[in-house]
Amino acid sequence: LYSKYGLTWSNVKEKPKEEKEYNEKKEKIAKSAFLDVRSRTEKMDFINYFVSSLCSVPQHMNSEDYVSLTKALYEDTERIRTLTLLALSANS
């Protein structure tokens, strides 16, 4: 939300109008990402999308976590895809 719209939760909380806009834009981003993930049924298409889109924003992970994520993306792609869809649907 910040990189796309310049919105942060700390700036909108307790401001009903701004909070509504924040939630609407958050939902829009999550729905778009959900549809993008769902449409990528081929393993490499999903991995490329995941890395280029979802990982394009800073992640709070150490190098060991990145290695684990990389292994999981290649070795257990469908599970990661399913968990990604669940996470996105929870945020839409």
Side-chain angles (χ1 to χ4, degrees):
L1 285 167
Y2 181 74
S3 65
K4 190 163 187 158
Y5 298 110
L7 296 172
T8 62
W9 177 247
S10 60
N11 289 338
V12 302
K13 67 181 179 183
E14 299 178 19
K15 298 176 185 173
K17 184 178 179 183
E18 289 89 352
E19 189 174 332
K20 181 180 181 205
E21 176 187 9
Y22 178 92
N23 288 328
E24 288 171 351
K25 289 186 176 177
K26 178 182 171 186
E27 182 178 326
K28 180 180 178 181
I29 290 171
K31 280 183 178 181
S32 176
F34 180 93
L35 294 173
D36 289 341
V37 168
R38 189 178 72 179
S39 71
R40 283 156 175 89
T41 56
E42 296 296 320
K43 180 177 181 170
M44 288 310 299
D45 287 342
F46 168 71
I47 292 171
N48 288 333
Y49 174 78
F50 189 95
V51 171
S52 66
S53 296
L54 301 177
C55 292
S56 67
V57 294
Q59 304 297 317
H60 303 288
M61 296 177 11
N62 60 37
S63 59
E64 291 174 2
D65 291 337
Y66 273 107
V67 169
S68 295
L69 176 59
T70 301
K71 286 175 86 174
L73 279 168
Y74 282 95
E75 295 171 3
D76 204 359
T77 308
E78 279 308 305
R79 184 172 69 97
I80 298 300
R81 186 171 177 269
T82 300
L83 291 172
T84 302
L85 289 169
L86 288 168
L88 290 167
S89 68
N91 284 295
S92 61

